[in-house]
Amino acid sequence: MGKEGKGNSKGNFQLKVPKGTRDWQGTDVVLREQIFSNLTEVFKRHGGVTIDTPVFELRETLTGKYGEDSKLIYDLADQGGEICSLRYDLTVPFARFCAQNAVLNIKRYHIAKVYRRDQPAMTKGRMREFYQCDFDIAGSYDPMLPDAEILRITKEVFDSLPGWEGKYTIKINHRKILDGIFQICGVPQDKLRTISSAVDKLDKSPWEEVRREMVEGKGLDPEIADKIWEYVQLKGGREIVTQLQNKPEVVANESAKQGLEDMALLCKYLDILDVLPALSIDMSLARGLDYYTGVIYEVVTEGSAPSASSKDVAKKEKKQKKSADPDEDRSNDPTIGVGSVAAGGRYDELVGMFSGKAIPCVGISFGVDRIFSITQARLDSSKVVRPNEVDVFVVAFGMGKDFTGLLPERMQVAKTLWDAGIKAEYLWKEKAKFQSQFKAAENGKVPWAVILGEDELKANKVKIKEMGLPKDHPEKDGVLVDMGDLVLELKARLARQRDEVALRPAAGNDAEEKEKEAEVEK
């Protein structure tokens, strides 16, 4: 690029990605792909089939489905007489798909990018273009059985991720309980959704701020707001359901009564499926999206909540000029946390909004980029993410001026491994130095080396060496095997390491290995 590529003045082009987006490369891509793989494995285990939908939908498809969040939808210019918008999530397109194709029952998963014109906080996984991984069940079944399986899937997903087991909480509530509580407290019917959106901010803001929004911003009577607080501060295990069922004013409300019956049955099933230990029944969980009709849930972890409330930084904001740029990255803003890493619930009426025929649905959406940010921070320092999935590096060993480098032999062995489905590489240099070959294997974190030596080849043998073994290990220098047994021997060793393909200790760093390589070079 010339000077024009770097400038910011009028008429000059600045080479950059749009705000709220990023390029992905190297080990970041590998770790994200591993998260995708873990999710997909769990989805398939539970009978999921995948679908794909367009990245943009007709604007009228998305309109009126997201409540206050509708302002975050990316609208596109008129193209050929159709007004379209980028998809905001994967749930509404799924409902449109079911209605359009007359789908009556399906277990579907979908991994794809979605778009939201939110203020970004890139290092916390809050972006404008990001991946969601959804699992949804559509169809009429006995009460709470699909809901229980969705939550079991959620537990399996997070237990499968490195550094997550025991470090997450599935918060759960029920829209009918919440609506019933609002009715008991005296919230006008036309304010149910807006007050619900305010309550949903209690995981980010203190009650004083939420109350102020309700009263000053949304015109709610202060006494009603105080009554709401008596209920929404309740959280705990299944005893919360019993506690609410013992309140006469609650069970007298039909909506709350029905929601509590659902929750009691769900807890019974979740006890069988061993999900209850990860569960927290939280009356402040509201989920702002308009389409939820029953059970709602979200997954939180360390870092989900902000480190400071907006009240804590109010004085600082007064001194500073409030940013007029809604696109400014807020990664360093202490009032912004990672947020929930997965969320979902039951939405029995969404398909009917398109087709007129209601099809019960329940689902969960995993925010991969938020999960990635936390997983990356939690990785043990003794672990590394491999930049690729190569399992074997083919190395030639030899000394002296007459050493040919054994390039044809290396190519032949690599070809044999490829034919057997084994991921392999060799250095693209005719007379590659032994040290250079091992350095390439080490940089790629390749777990195994096949070493070809002139004397061994004459006897139709090669050495298999596991990289990174301690100096006192009996197989530190490798194991001699017949060339005809190479594939079987490697496959047996790789099978034992299958669970370590993505994450394993760094290889080939001990001093003895370095000394030996240097000696060979001499």
Side-chain angles (χ1 to χ4, degrees), residues 19-35:
K19 290 178 181 178
T21 67
R22 60 164 289 189
D23 290 323
W24 290 79
Q25 61 178 327
T27 56
D28 285 357
V29 176
V30 176
L31 179 57
R32 189 173 68 172
E33 288 295 327
Q34 181 65 21
I35 294 170

Side-chain angles (χ1 to χ4, degrees), residues 46-340:
H46 287 265
V49 297
T50 191
I51 68 167
D52 195 13
T53 61
V55 74
F56 50 88
E57 296 273 351
L58 295 177
R59 188 179 302 171
E60 62 191 42
T61 299
L62 306 181
T63 301
K65 312 301 189 301
Y66 302 108
E68 293 185 1
D69 285 348
S70 291
K71 62 181 181 291
L72 303 180
I73 294 174
Y74 266 107
D75 289 328
L76 303 176
D78 185 344
Q79 297 286 343
E82 290 189 331
I83 309 297
C84 297
S85 300
L86 294 177
R87 60 187 173 204
Y88 177 90
D89 67 2
L90 301 179
T91 306
V92 171
F94 171 62
R96 189 266 308 152
F97 170 87
C98 289
Q100 184 178 337
N101 295 283
V103 175
L104 297 180
N105 58 74
I106 187 174
K107 279 186 181 180
R108 90 79 162 88
Y109 70 92
H110 191 183
I111 299 177
K113 288 182 176 180
V114 298
Y115 300 85
R116 298 183 183 180
R117 204 185 187 288
D118 203 352
Q119 190 162 15
M122 299 297 289
T123 62
K124 297 174 181 177
R126 298 169 68 92
M127 294 182 267
R128 289 179 165 178
E129 178 192 63
F130 57 96
Y131 270 99
Q132 282 191 340
C133 298
D134 281 21
F135 191 97
D136 292 82
I137 300 173
S140 296
Y141 303 96
D142 282 354
M144 310 318 295
L145 287 170
D147 311 67
E149 183 146 356
I150 290 286
L151 292 168
R152 170 65 194 191
I153 287 168
T154 303
K155 182 177 186 294
E156 287 182 23
V157 163
F158 285 103
D159 284 348
S160 75
L161 296 172
W164 281 81
E165 192 169 2
K167 293 184 179 179
Y168 65 91
T169 301
I170 304 172
K171 294 167 60 176
I172 185 170
N173 200 357
H174 198 296
R175 264 287 170 80
K176 289 183 178 179
I177 298 174
L178 202 59
D179 287 350
I181 287 171
F182 289 160
Q183 290 165 6
I184 293 165
C185 293
V187 176
Q189 189 68 26
D190 62 345
K191 291 185 184 293
L192 288 181
R193 289 284 77 88
T194 58
I195 297 304
S196 179
S197 295
V199 167
D200 198 43
K201 296 175 183 175
L202 280 170
D203 61 337
K204 310 178 190 73
S205 305
W207 167 247
E208 292 78 16
E209 290 183 29
V210 173
R211 184 183 186 277
R212 190 180 308 117
E213 180 183 336
M214 288 179 175
V215 175
E216 298 176 11
K218 305 193 174 185
L220 191 68
D221 187 294
E223 289 186 11
I224 294 176
D226 293 335
K227 287 180 183 177
I228 290 172
W229 174 239
E230 293 177 18
Y231 289 99
V232 298
Q233 61 183 303
L234 295 175
K235 63 178 67 176
R238 63 197 301 182
E239 73 277 359
I240 297 296
V241 174
T242 306
Q243 188 176 336
L244 287 170
Q245 285 179 322
N246 288 333
K247 291 180 179 289
E249 72 275 15
V250 174
V251 292
N253 180 279
E254 191 57 38
S255 177
K257 181 183 177 184
Q258 187 178 340
L260 287 167
E261 288 172 355
D262 282 349
M263 288 286 278
L265 183 58
L266 179 61
C267 285
K268 175 185 173 183
Y269 294 151
L270 293 181
D271 190 20
I272 297 169
L273 298 178
D274 194 30
V275 179
L276 280 183
L279 206 70
S280 172
I281 297 174
D282 191 331
M283 289 296 110
S284 70
L285 177 64
R287 301 292 301 145
L289 303 181
D290 278 1
Y291 51 65
Y292 289 121
T293 58
V295 171
I296 49 176
Y297 33 79
E298 67 180 28
V299 181
V300 295
T301 184
E302 297 167 12
S304 287
S307 58
S309 73
S310 55
K311 186 179 180 182
D312 295 332
V313 295
K315 292 180 181 178
K316 187 177 178 182
E317 284 186 349
K318 282 182 181 177
K319 292 179 182 178
Q320 295 176 343
K321 202 171 184 181
K322 215 170 186 182
S323 174
D325 183 6
D327 305 318
E328 180 185 2
D329 186 274
R330 297 180 67 187
S331 293
N332 297 321
D333 187 339
T335 67
I336 299 292
V338 171
S340 61

